[in-house]
Amino acid sequence: MAQARNTNVISAFPTRRHNHGRCVSTAIESAERVSEARGARFTAIRRRVLELVWASHEPVAAYELLDRLKLEKSNATPPTIYRALEFLLENGLIHRIESLNAYVGCGNPENEHNGQFLICTRCGVVAELGCDSIDGAVRERAGELGFTVESHTVEIQGICESCGKTTR
Amino acid sequence: MAQARNTNVISAFPTRRHNHGRCVSTAIESAERVSEARGARFTAIRRRVLELVWASHEPVAAYELLDRLKLEKSNATPPTIYRALEFLLENGLIHRIESLNAYVGCGNPENEHNGQFLICTRCGVVAELGCDSIDGAVRERAGELGFTVESHTVEIQGICESCGKTTR
DNA sequence: AGCGGTTTTGTAATATTATATCAATATTGG
DNA sequence: CCAATATTGATATAATATTACAAAACCGCT
């Protein structure tokens, strides 16, 4: 019983030695369920791009994904990647980090949400929060001004706990 | 006594008929004071780009600024604009809206801050908040996870009060 | 299996956003 | 005025993203 419901971590900063294969396989299985449920086609390209996004917990740029995909699919072009990214975004399987023009796997694709992201400027790793207190503060203040919230982008730059402990 | 200190609006949604010349002249005067205080040079190009950013309350893209600047300075090139934007950002005179790759004037340049932005997806206008409750929620949650906040990007998409009242 | 409509992918071209580099000019402090 | 520094000019190129149209794959139906 570690987390209060209203401040749950969707995808925490991973330990150096976590079983990352498990992150990937969980993400793929989730994606299969989400696609199935929506009648969306989780094609080979889309699956592979999702795996590439999940290669780490650091956001990946579109052209990095393209370079990697080209290694195994030499006819891949920018639209190949951008179409796959569009599909993955639409289905909530990845998030775009606006301040980095880069993409990161979503840790909880089975629930629709706008995440909040903690971005470590030292190691590049991103953690995702599904934090109702931040979301609430946003909606409350917006509401006071007569503004109806549709979505939000919350990206927090700083130093993660693990990097904070090491010498600069 | 309308605003509580911790939720002040730095730059509200403007009325259609506000005196916009006043927004611009205030911004320029502020910029002069800020530059003076910092020993920074508020050159003609920088001043003009700031005026162009302040042409409206909608974020402006870099190449739009370039096109406008070229009308009066035909040798302007991308670096002309990007250098001016860099100066204005460094000195807190404008903000970059990450989700739009665009720039908007800062309503309170004399106090250093990370703003929060309400972006109307109907009319394109942006309001800036300096909202301690959002900032506090962010810092609190980050702190619980051992994350040290350096800066944040908070961009809220939705419909402003005035657009919400008109027929879709 | 065959057909027709729809979605996905292939391919080429281009648009948009941003930076690197180095030379020339302007400004500042001494 | 000189020398150091900051700013601007000019060219090239990098990085990110989209448009357009044709070909192929897939799906539901018979």
Side-chain angles (χ1 to χ4, degrees), chain A residues 1-19:
Chain A
M1 170 111 3
Q3 301 296 343
R5 187 206 161 291
N6 70 340
T7 55
N8 61 308
V9 176
I10 288 180
S11 174
F13 284 103
T15 63
R16 259 182 309 237
R17 298 167 49 90
H18 75 291
N19 182 346

mmCIF file of all heavy atoms in Angstrom, chain A residues 1-19:
data_model
loop_
_atom_site.group_PDB
_atom_site.id
_atom_site.type_symbol
_atom_site.label_atom_id
_atom_site.label_comp_id
_atom_site.label_asym_id
_atom_site.label_seq_id
_atom_site.Cartn_x
_atom_site.Cartn_y
_atom_site.Cartn_z
ATOM 1 N N MET A 1 0.841 -1.209 0.000
ATOM 2 C CA MET A 1 0.000 0.000 0.000
ATOM 3 C C MET A 1 0.867 1.246 0.000
ATOM 4 O O MET A 1 0.870 2.053 0.917
ATOM 5 C CB MET A 1 -0.912 -0.047 1.237
ATOM 6 C CG MET A 1 -1.669 1.232 1.504
ATOM 7 S SD MET A 1 -3.417 1.234 1.262
ATOM 8 C CE MET A 1 -3.827 -0.424 0.809
ATOM 9 N N ALA A 2 1.644 1.377 -1.007
ATOM 10 C CA ALA A 2 2.630 2.466 -1.012
ATOM 11 C C ALA A 2 2.057 3.773 -1.557
ATOM 12 O O ALA A 2 2.303 4.830 -0.997
ATOM 13 C CB ALA A 2 3.839 2.071 -1.841
ATOM 14 N N GLN A 3 1.266 3.703 -2.613
ATOM 15 C CA GLN A 3 0.855 4.924 -3.292
ATOM 16 C C GLN A 3 -0.586 5.298 -2.969
ATOM 17 O O GLN A 3 -1.475 4.460 -3.054
ATOM 18 C CB GLN A 3 0.943 4.747 -4.811
ATOM 19 C CG GLN A 3 2.324 4.388 -5.308
ATOM 20 C CD GLN A 3 3.326 5.480 -5.049
ATOM 21 O OE1 GLN A 3 2.961 6.623 -4.787
ATOM 22 N NE2 GLN A 3 4.609 5.147 -5.079
ATOM 23 N N ALA A 4 -0.795 6.567 -2.639
ATOM 24 C CA ALA A 4 -2.169 7.056 -2.577
ATOM 25 C C ALA A 4 -2.711 7.084 -4.003
ATOM 26 O O ALA A 4 -1.961 7.329 -4.954
ATOM 27 C CB ALA A 4 -2.211 8.454 -1.974
ATOM 28 N N ARG A 5 -3.991 6.874 -4.156
ATOM 29 C CA ARG A 5 -4.569 6.784 -5.482
ATOM 30 C C ARG A 5 -4.347 8.055 -6.300
ATOM 31 O O ARG A 5 -4.141 8.008 -7.496
ATOM 32 C CB ARG A 5 -6.079 6.533 -5.355
ATOM 33 C CG ARG A 5 -6.721 6.265 -6.712
ATOM 34 C CD ARG A 5 -8.195 6.632 -6.730
ATOM 35 N NE ARG A 5 -8.642 6.794 -8.096
ATOM 36 C CZ ARG A 5 -8.263 7.787 -8.905
ATOM 37 N NH1 ARG A 5 -7.395 8.667 -8.495
ATOM 38 N NH2 ARG A 5 -8.729 7.879 -10.142
ATOM 39 N N ASN A 6 -4.381 9.165 -5.601
ATOM 40 C CA ASN A 6 -4.390 10.411 -6.351
ATOM 41 C C ASN A 6 -3.002 10.893 -6.759
ATOM 42 O O ASN A 6 -2.849 11.972 -7.280
ATOM 43 C CB ASN A 6 -5.093 11.509 -5.549
ATOM 44 C CG ASN A 6 -4.286 11.939 -4.348
ATOM 45 O OD1 ASN A 6 -3.401 11.206 -3.899
ATOM 46 N ND2 ASN A 6 -4.586 13.123 -3.847
ATOM 47 N N THR A 7 -1.996 10.141 -6.455
ATOM 48 C CA THR A 7 -0.656 10.580 -6.863
ATOM 49 C C THR A 7 0.149 9.401 -7.387
ATOM 50 O O THR A 7 1.333 9.295 -7.167
ATOM 51 C CB THR A 7 0.106 11.212 -5.683
ATOM 52 O OG1 THR A 7 0.131 10.271 -4.608
ATOM 53 C CG2 THR A 7 -0.528 12.491 -5.240
ATOM 54 N N ASN A 8 -0.527 8.503 -8.084
ATOM 55 C CA ASN A 8 0.205 7.305 -8.480
ATOM 56 C C ASN A 8 1.241 7.571 -9.558
ATOM 57 O O ASN A 8 1.069 8.411 -10.438
ATOM 58 C CB ASN A 8 -0.776 6.248 -8.972
ATOM 59 C CG ASN A 8 -1.540 6.735 -10.167
ATOM 60 O OD1 ASN A 8 -2.113 7.811 -10.130
ATOM 61 N ND2 ASN A 8 -1.536 5.955 -11.216
ATOM 62 N N VAL A 9 2.318 6.826 -9.438
ATOM 63 C CA VAL A 9 3.355 6.858 -10.455
ATOM 64 C C VAL A 9 2.962 5.859 -11.524
ATOM 65 O O VAL A 9 2.730 4.695 -11.230
ATOM 66 C CB VAL A 9 4.704 6.440 -9.846
ATOM 67 C CG1 VAL A 9 5.760 6.374 -10.922
ATOM 68 C CG2 VAL A 9 5.109 7.411 -8.757
ATOM 69 N N ILE A 10 2.865 6.321 -12.743
ATOM 70 C CA ILE A 10 2.498 5.398 -13.815
ATOM 71 C C ILE A 10 3.727 4.622 -14.261
ATOM 72 O O ILE A 10 3.690 3.440 -14.512
ATOM 73 C CB ILE A 10 1.865 6.173 -14.981
ATOM 74 C CG1 ILE A 10 0.477 6.641 -14.564
ATOM 75 C CG2 ILE A 10 1.797 5.309 -16.207
ATOM 76 C CD1 ILE A 10 -0.257 7.413 -15.616
ATOM 77 N N SER A 11 4.831 5.327 -14.336
ATOM 78 C CA SER A 11 6.070 4.670 -14.759
ATOM 79 C C SER A 11 7.208 5.356 -14.020
ATOM 80 O O SER A 11 7.601 6.457 -14.377
ATOM 81 C CB SER A 11 6.202 4.810 -16.269
ATOM 82 O OG SER A 11 7.436 4.320 -16.704
ATOM 83 N N ALA A 12 7.689 4.735 -12.966
ATOM 84 C CA ALA A 12 8.681 5.360 -12.086
ATOM 85 C C ALA A 12 10.050 5.403 -12.758
ATOM 86 O O ALA A 12 10.255 4.798 -13.804
ATOM 87 C CB ALA A 12 8.769 4.587 -10.790
ATOM 88 N N PHE A 13 10.991 6.125 -12.150
ATOM 89 C CA PHE A 13 12.366 6.032 -12.610
ATOM 90 C C PHE A 13 12.814 4.606 -12.357
ATOM 91 O O PHE A 13 12.696 4.097 -11.253
ATOM 92 C CB PHE A 13 13.260 7.016 -11.851
ATOM 93 C CG PHE A 13 13.074 8.427 -12.311
ATOM 94 C CD1 PHE A 13 12.336 9.327 -11.563
ATOM 95 C CD2 PHE A 13 13.622 8.852 -13.519
ATOM 96 C CE1 PHE A 13 12.146 10.626 -12.008
ATOM 97 C CE2 PHE A 13 13.432 10.154 -13.957
ATOM 98 C CZ PHE A 13 12.691 11.033 -13.201
ATOM 99 N N PRO A 14 13.274 3.954 -13.390
ATOM 100 C CA PRO A 14 13.643 2.540 -13.254
ATOM 101 C C PRO A 14 14.988 2.428 -12.532
ATOM 102 O O PRO A 14 15.824 3.316 -12.638
ATOM 103 C CB PRO A 14 13.779 2.090 -14.704
ATOM 104 C CG PRO A 14 14.146 3.322 -15.461
ATOM 105 C CD PRO A 14 13.493 4.466 -14.742
ATOM 106 N N THR A 15 15.175 1.352 -11.820
ATOM 107 C CA THR A 15 16.505 1.101 -11.259
ATOM 108 C C THR A 15 17.411 0.694 -12.411
ATOM 109 O O THR A 15 16.939 0.244 -13.464
ATOM 110 C CB THR A 15 16.471 -0.035 -10.221
ATOM 111 O OG1 THR A 15 16.079 -1.227 -10.896
ATOM 112 C CG2 THR A 15 15.455 0.277 -9.124
ATOM 113 N N ARG A 16 18.703 0.847 -12.184
ATOM 114 C CA ARG A 16 19.648 0.492 -13.252
ATOM 115 C C ARG A 16 19.505 -0.970 -13.662
ATOM 116 O O ARG A 16 19.757 -1.340 -14.789
ATOM 117 C CB ARG A 16 21.088 0.730 -12.791
ATOM 118 C CG ARG A 16 21.700 2.014 -13.302
ATOM 119 C CD ARG A 16 23.136 2.123 -12.829
ATOM 120 N NE ARG A 16 23.208 1.898 -11.375
ATOM 121 C CZ ARG A 16 23.721 2.776 -10.513
ATOM 122 N NH1 ARG A 16 24.234 3.898 -10.933
ATOM 123 N NH2 ARG A 16 23.744 2.516 -9.219
ATOM 124 N N ARG A 17 19.137 -1.801 -12.667
ATOM 125 C CA ARG A 17 19.166 -3.238 -12.932
ATOM 126 C C ARG A 17 17.769 -3.843 -13.062
ATOM 127 O O ARG A 17 17.601 -5.050 -12.889
ATOM 128 C CB ARG A 17 19.939 -3.949 -11.827
ATOM 129 C CG ARG A 17 21.401 -3.510 -11.724
ATOM 130 C CD ARG A 17 22.011 -4.027 -10.414
ATOM 131 N NE ARG A 17 21.747 -5.454 -10.227
ATOM 132 C CZ ARG A 17 22.546 -6.432 -10.668
ATOM 133 N NH1 ARG A 17 23.668 -6.131 -11.287
ATOM 134 N NH2 ARG A 17 22.237 -7.694 -10.455
ATOM 135 N N HIS A 18 16.776 -3.001 -13.380
ATOM 136 C CA HIS A 18 15.451 -3.599 -13.500
ATOM 137 C C HIS A 18 15.396 -4.503 -14.724
ATOM 138 O O HIS A 18 16.232 -4.409 -15.620
ATOM 139 C CB HIS A 18 14.378 -2.504 -13.582
ATOM 140 C CG HIS A 18 14.298 -1.803 -14.904
ATOM 141 N ND1 HIS A 18 15.281 -0.962 -15.375
ATOM 142 C CD2 HIS A 18 13.353 -1.814 -15.870
ATOM 143 C CE1 HIS A 18 14.934 -0.494 -16.557
ATOM 144 N NE2 HIS A 18 13.776 -0.989 -16.883
ATOM 145 N N ASN A 19 14.400 -5.368 -14.719
ATOM 146 C CA ASN A 19 14.252 -6.307 -15.840
ATOM 147 C C ASN A 19 13.535 -5.584 -16.982
ATOM 148 O O ASN A 19 12.304 -5.578 -17.054
ATOM 149 C CB ASN A 19 13.447 -7.508 -15.355
ATOM 150 C CG ASN A 19 13.287 -8.542 -16.461
ATOM 151 O OD1 ASN A 19 13.551 -8.264 -17.627
ATOM 152 N ND2 ASN A 19 12.864 -9.728 -16.086
#
